[in-house]
């Protein structure tokens, strides 16, 4: 056999990257997916290639300590045909002095940067990614529309607000923007496991379970040189509010340019969105999920103990119920478990509790949460608790005694994600939980040893209280909320009703009083009821609201005869003014467009220092573009600007808009734009 004498080569980056669906990263270098053939052109210096005569020894290597034992080095020669189950190469063009060389990486090869040695002629470099289009890859997903959404889509919707009123927040994932893939690979290189043992870590990158767990630790900075620092107070000194961010690109670039110092600050939806961007960049199908009334159980007993004072006002404790909490789901097989646990895996990069000594969580099969299989890896108990913990409420009396309060609070409501191919909300609660009260739910609770939910539930004392609201609850307005009390017993009841409200953050931290009413003599005939209104005025609540625009309503009904208490709690979210976006001009690639953006000031106060900001994948050149108004905007007046941008790629794109001013900040909006070629 005679070694081929190669003069030069062409990596055919544009053809290969397009074929491997990596062309949005650019076509100036080779980026391919494992388990799929790519082709390069070889130009011989002398002689012609003849099958069975010419030979070529190839060596593919990744990482600082390539090893065949670790799977980070593969040696192979020319074969008659490509074998997609392993590293292989074959000449697929006609014999001659110009060859078409087809190469395939093993479908379980570690992802990352590779060098490929071509005999004695030299080396080529390329990046290898997971391949969810390859049936032999652990991240294979057999649905083209889902792949468009969960791998290729560079923008999306994250649901915030409240369970009664989910609010769609646009997000620019931007995983294919310039430089982002390199930053994602740097994040893997900076993880403590890689710094301790790079050979073993690079080998682990063949496994999306391992990489997902690394990312859930590296997106927060609690144990390492991670991307984001969390902050759940109103003090954002040295950084910006988590509400400031419109996408992941600026965050990732800031981390990279600041020598891997954490970006300040993030909260759950930011952590989850950044992890989603990184996962999609690497080729793992994933989506951001929101769990409303999400339990944070600090001691693992599956019970959230809530305390109120004598006025029904909440007392802070370590166990919390977050108004909502966001995490990530990634799609992969679980060869370490049974096959029914393949599919969506939940992981959570928000630093809440330590797992194996590190602030990370997951991945755990969503199916394991539903079935109550809490012995499976990783962190099943914590995630199960987030969607299933029991809630027990106690009233602390002035004399130090406590009494249990009847309450109907249920955690794990309206678990939500963006629908495939549309901005609509998809309810995926059924993937995490069986219907309440069903035999299947009871079996799952038995398996999970969830004794509190299995025991006889609290008896309804016959007095019932609910909180009702109207539909016109906008920030800046005065409005009424209502406590509706009913007597379901056969005897007359004399009661006391305490109806209060306070500002609250999405993570459950309460603030100042927004309005309070104490009715000492509520008389309820058998089967009768009353509707009690509480007026909330902007002049009082306006200065107390956090950026989440949330108010906690609590109605505590005390039965003078039996001394029993019934509590109703409801969080309401106040709507910001709507941002309207009009595109001026015909949307085409490389043609300058204008976005005319308008927001009406619905607050009874003047807005100063008004600024609109836009960004969008393949719309704004990977940059954030801002426009500041020169004048103030009075009550009822419009803030209006034109911002120019030039799309770089065709297709459906999302232009994300943010508005900030002196009295109204972090108002989000978006416009979907179809860009023609």
């Amino acid at each position: 056999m005679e070694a081929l004498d190669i003069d030069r080569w062409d990596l055919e980056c544009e053809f290969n990257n397009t074929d491997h669906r990596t062309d949005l990263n650019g076509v100036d270098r080779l980026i391919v997916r494992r388990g799929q053939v790519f082709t390069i052109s070889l130009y011989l210096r002398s002689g012609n290639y003849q099958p069975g005569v010419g030979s070529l020894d190839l060596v593919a290597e990744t990482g600082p300590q390539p090893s065949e034992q670790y799977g980070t080095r593969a040696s192979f020669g020319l074969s008659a045909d490509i074998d997609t189950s392993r590293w292989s190469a074959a000449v697929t063009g006609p014999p001659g002095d110009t060859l078409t060389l087809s190469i395939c990486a093993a479908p379980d090869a570690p992802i990352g940067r590779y060098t490929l040695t071509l005999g004695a002629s030299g080396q080529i470099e390329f990046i290898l990614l997971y391949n969810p289009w390859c049936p032999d890859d652990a991240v294979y997903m057999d649905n083209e529309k889902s792949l468009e959404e969960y791998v290729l889509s560079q923008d999306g919707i994250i649901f915030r607000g409240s369970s009664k009123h989910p609010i769609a927040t646009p997000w620019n994932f931007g995983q294919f923007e310039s430089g982002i893939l390199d930053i994602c690979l740097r994040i893997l290189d900076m993880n403590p496991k890689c710094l301790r043992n790079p050979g073993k870590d690079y080998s682990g990158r063949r496994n999306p379970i391992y990489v997902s767990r690394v990312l859930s630790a590296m997106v927060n900075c609690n144990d390492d040189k991670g991307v984001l620092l969390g902050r759940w107070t109103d003090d954002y000194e040295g950084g910006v509010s988590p509400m400031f961010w419109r996408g992941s690109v600026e965050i990732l670039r800031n981390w990279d340019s600041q020598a891997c110092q954490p970006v300040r600050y993030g909260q759950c939806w930011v952590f989850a969105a950044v992890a989603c961007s990184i996962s999609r960049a690497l080729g793992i199908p994933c989506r951001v999920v929101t769990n409303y009334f999400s339990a944070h159980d600090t001691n693992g007993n599956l019970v959230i103990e809530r305390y109120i004072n004598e006025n029904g006002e909440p007392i802070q404790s370590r166990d919390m119920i977050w108004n909502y909490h966001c995490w990530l789901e990634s799609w992969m097989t679980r060869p370490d478990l049974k096959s029914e646990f393949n599919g969506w895996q939940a992981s959570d990069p928000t630093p809440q509790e330590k797992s194996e000594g590190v602030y990370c969580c997951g991945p755990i099969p969503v199916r394991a949460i539903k079935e109550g299989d809490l012995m499976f890896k990783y962190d099943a108990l914590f995630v199960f608790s987030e969607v299933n913990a029991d809630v027990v409420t106690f009233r602390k009396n002035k004399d130090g005694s406590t009494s249990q309060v009847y309450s109907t609070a249920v955690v794990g409501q309206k678990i939500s994600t963006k629908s495939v191919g549309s901005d609509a909300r998809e309810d995926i609660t059924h993937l995490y939980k069986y219907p309440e009260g069903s035999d299947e739910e009871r079996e799952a609770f038995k398996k999970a040893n969830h004794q509190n939910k299995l025991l006889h539930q609290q008896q309804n004392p016959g007095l019932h209280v609910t909180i009702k609201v109207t539909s016109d609850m906008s920030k800046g307005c005065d409005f009424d909320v209502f406590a509706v009390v009913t007597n379901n017993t056969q005897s007359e009841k004399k009661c006391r009703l305490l109806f209060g409200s306070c500002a609250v953050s999405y993570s459950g931290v309460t603030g100042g009083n927004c309005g309070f009413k104490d009715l000492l003599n509520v008389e309820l005939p058998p089967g009768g009821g009353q509707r009690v209104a509480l007026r909330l005025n902007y002049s009082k609540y306006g200065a107390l609201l956090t950026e989440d625009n949330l108010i906690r309503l609590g109605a505590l009904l005390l039965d003078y005869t039996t001394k029993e208490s019934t509590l109703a709690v409801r969080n309401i979210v106040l709507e910001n003014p709507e941002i309207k976006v009009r595109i001026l001009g015909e949307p085409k690639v490389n043609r300058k467009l204008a976005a005319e953006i308008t927001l009406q000031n619905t607050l009874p106060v003047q807005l100063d220092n008004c600024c609109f900001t836009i960004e969008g994948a393949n719309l704004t050149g990977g940059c954030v573009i801002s426009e500041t108004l020169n004048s103030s905007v009075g009550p009822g007046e419009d803030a209006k600007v034109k911002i120019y941008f030039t799309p770089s790629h065709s297709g459906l794109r999302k232009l994300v808009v943010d508005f900030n001013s002196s009295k109204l900040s972090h108002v989000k909006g978006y416009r979907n734009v179809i860009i023609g070629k």
Side-chain angles (χ1 to χ4, degrees):
M1 299 288 282
E2 185 177 332
L4 296 178
D5 183 16
I6 302 169
D7 177 40
R8 56 192 172 86
W9 49 79
D10 184 342
L11 299 184
E12 310 290 355
C13 294
E14 184 169 2
F15 173 80
N16 285 315
N17 290 11
T18 303
D19 192 44
H20 284 243
R21 300 173 178 86
T22 63
D23 52 304
L24 285 174
N25 288 296
V27 293
D28 56 334
R29 57 180 175 166
L30 187 59
I31 304 171
V32 295
R33 299 187 185 276
R34 58 189 197 173
Q36 182 176 340
V37 176
F38 62 96
T39 58
I40 62 176
S41 298
L42 303 180
Y43 300 90
L44 302 184
R45 183 179 289 110
S46 60
N48 289 331
Y49 170 73
Q50 295 297 327
V53 177
S55 69
L56 181 63
D57 294 323
L58 301 104
V59 180
E61 296 178 311
T62 185
Q65 303 160 1
S67 151
E68 294 193 3
Q69 176 191 347
Y70 275 156
T72 50
R73 183 179 192 272
S75 303
F76 53 103
L78 296 178
S79 307
D81 298 296
I82 285 287
D83 181 351
T84 56
S85 68
R86 60 180 180 85
W87 284 95
S88 62
V91 175
T92 52
D97 60 359
T98 303
L99 306 183
T100 300
L101 181 67
S102 294
I103 303 165
C104 186
D108 60 352
I111 61 156
R113 300 181 191 280
Y114 274 81
T115 59
L116 181 65
T117 304
L118 303 171
S121 302
Q123 291 181 333
I124 67 170
E125 294 181 348
F126 65 95
I127 293 175
L128 187 68
L129 303 178
Y130 293 112
N131 191 353
W133 287 269
C134 172
D136 294 325
D137 197 307
V139 299
Y140 175 62
M141 179 178 262
D142 185 20
N143 186 300
E144 195 61 41
K145 286 187 177 178
S146 295
L147 288 162
E148 283 281 339
E149 182 72 53
Y150 300 134
V151 182
L152 299 180
S153 180
Q154 293 194 80
D155 47 55
I157 295 292
I158 298 170
F159 290 94
R160 299 175 59 246
S162 69
S163 63
K164 299 278 190 184
H165 189 65
I167 291 180
T169 302
W171 192 267
N172 176 30
F173 293 114
Q175 68 269 30
F176 301 126
E177 293 283 18
S178 177
I180 295 301
L181 178 56
D182 297 287
I183 296 169
C184 295
L185 294 174
R186 188 181 188 190
I187 289 168
L188 294 182
D189 287 345
M190 292 305 296
N191 98 77
K193 293 178 179 179
C194 183
L195 299 177
R196 281 195 303 268
N197 188 338
K200 189 175 180 183
D201 176 79
Y202 269 75
S203 175
R205 297 181 192 183
R206 68 176 60 210
N207 184 353
I209 303 169
Y210 175 81
V211 169
S212 294
R213 190 153 172 82
V214 165
L215 290 181
S216 91
M218 281 298 294
V219 169
N220 71 70
C221 67
N222 287 40
D223 312 282
D224 43 47
K225 286 185 173 290
V227 177
L228 278 160
L229 178 63
R231 180 63 60 89
W232 283 269
T233 66
D234 286 338
D235 174 20
Y236 300 122
E237 186 178 349
V240 296
S241 158
M243 290 287 289
F244 170 86
W245 308 112
R246 295 155 299 275
S248 307
V249 175
E250 193 176 356
I251 294 169
L252 291 167
R253 285 180 177 161
N254 287 355
W255 176 83
D256 185 55
S257 63
Q258 294 166 10
C260 307
Q261 292 301 303
V263 177
R264 301 164 186 254
Y265 294 98
Q267 289 176 0
C268 71
W269 74 93
V270 184
F271 286 110
V274 170
C276 184
S277 296
I278 300 168
S279 299
R280 288 184 184 181
L282 299 177
I284 301 173
C286 63
R287 61 190 186 184
V288 176
V289 166
T290 302
N291 176 41
Y292 290 99
F293 283 102
S294 190
H296 182 173
D297 177 20
T298 54
N299 60 8
N301 68 349
L302 296 175
V303 178
I304 301 296
E305 295 183 348
R306 293 198 303 187
Y307 292 88
I308 57 173
N309 63 20
E310 288 194 317
N311 289 333
E313 298 162 337
I315 301 170
Q316 296 296 153
S317 62
R318 282 205 71 206
D319 280 356
M320 303 279 282
I321 297 178
W322 292 30
N323 193 56
Y324 63 85
H325 181 54
C326 299
W327 58 72
L328 190 70
E329 284 183 0
S330 306
W331 182 272
M332 64 193 71
T333 59
R334 289 301 298 260
D336 56 327
L337 306 173
K338 297 173 186 173
S339 61
E340 63 251 41
F341 297 105
N342 294 342
W344 291 117
Q345 314 288 316
S347 61
D348 190 350
T350 300
Q352 296 182 86
E353 301 292 330
K354 286 190 174 184
S355 171
E356 297 181 341
V358 176
Y359 278 100
C360 66
C361 179
I364 178 69
V366 172
R367 178 73 183 272
I369 301 305
K370 183 173 184 176
E371 300 297 341
D373 288 307
L374 304 191
M375 302 308 293
F376 292 163
K377 290 184 175 180
Y378 293 87
D379 309 305
L381 176 61
F382 187 79
V383 180
F384 182 87
S385 175
E386 287 182 303
V387 300
N388 282 309
D390 198 16
V391 182
V392 182
T393 306
F394 296 96
R395 182 173 179 233
K396 280 194 173 180
N397 305 310
K398 283 181 181 173
D399 62 6
S401 63
T402 61
S403 53
Q404 190 166 344
V405 177
Y406 177 77
S407 174
T408 56
V410 178
V411 305
Q413 297 182 24
K414 264 191 188 169
I415 305 175
S416 304
T417 192
K418 177 187 176 298
S419 295
V420 172
S422 87
D423 291 336
R425 185 184 71 86
E426 181 184 354
D427 194 307
I428 56 170
T429 310
H430 64 283
L431 298 181
Y432 283 83
K433 306 167 75 167
Y434 284 106
E436 196 167 342
S438 66
D439 291 342
E440 293 91 344
E441 182 197 50
R442 189 168 180 79
E443 284 305 309
F445 287 164
K446 278 183 183 175
K447 209 183 291 184
N449 196 26
H450 195 356
Q451 295 300 333
N452 256 62
K453 281 281 184 86
L454 288 167
L455 293 172
H456 188 59
Q457 296 293 300
Q458 299 176 63
Q459 289 296 308
N460 188 322
L463 287 176
H464 192 58
V465 57
T466 57
I467 296 172
K468 301 288 185 183
V469 299
T470 57
S471 58
D472 56 347
M473 297 182 299
S474 298
K475 189 174 182 179
C477 295
D478 301 339
F479 57 92
D480 289 325
V481 292
F482 304 91
V484 180
V485 295
T486 51
N487 177 10
N488 297 323
T489 71
Q490 301 299 312
S491 56
E492 184 177 355
K493 290 287 186 179
K494 290 188 177 180
C495 307
R496 178 184 179 189
L497 176 68
L498 299 120
F499 190 15
S501 62
C502 62
V504 64
S505 74
Y506 90 96
S507 60
V509 179
T510 53
N513 168 31
C514 298
F516 182 76
K517 186 173 277 189
D518 185 356
L519 301 181
L520 294 172
N521 295 298
V522 178
E523 295 186 356
L524 300 171
Q530 278 193 37
R531 180 182 171 100
V532 178
L534 177 67
R535 188 75 170 170
L536 298 184
N537 297 306
Y538 177 74
S539 59
K540 185 163 188 178
Y541 74 71
L544 299 173
L545 283 181
T546 69
E547 293 172 335
D548 303 301
N549 282 1
L550 286 166
I551 295 176
R552 177 193 185 274
L553 306 175
L556 179 66
L557 190 64
L558 307 174
D559 185 337
Y560 284 129
T561 305
T562 65
K563 309 300 184 189
E564 290 177 328
S565 307
T566 303
L567 176 71
V569 175
R570 179 167 179 172
N571 290 341
I572 58 171
V573 58
L574 305 187
E575 283 272 30
N576 279 320
E578 182 187 1
I579 291 178
K580 295 180 179 178
V581 184
R582 196 160 67 100
I583 302 299
L584 307 179
E586 187 181 0
K588 285 197 170 184
V589 172
N590 297 325
R591 178 177 292 181
K592 193 173 187 180
L593 296 174
E596 183 185 81
I597 308 171
T598 309
L599 175 141
Q600 184 181 40
N601 177 14
T602 57
L603 272 59
V605 294
Q606 178 176 289
L607 302 181
D608 302 314
N609 306 316
C610 299
C611 179
F612 286 96
T613 305
I614 66 167
E615 73 172 281
N618 304 133
L619 291 177
T620 58
C623 301
V624 175
I625 306 173
S626 297
E627 187 73 35
T628 302
L629 275 69
N630 296 322
S631 57
S632 299
V633 179
E637 295 179 353
D638 286 347
K640 182 183 282 190
V641 296
K642 276 185 190 174
I643 304 182
Y644 294 90
F645 63 99
T646 305
S648 59
H649 289 78
S650 61
L652 179 63
R653 307 291 172 201
K654 192 175 260 83
L655 188 70
V656 179
V657 184
D658 190 30
F659 173 83
N660 287 283
S661 69
S662 55
K663 298 287 186 183
L664 188 63
S665 59
H666 308 306
V667 182
K668 310 291 184 186
Y670 70 94
R671 173 69 185 264
N672 290 328
V673 188
I674 299 174
I675 307 297
K677 292 184 178 178

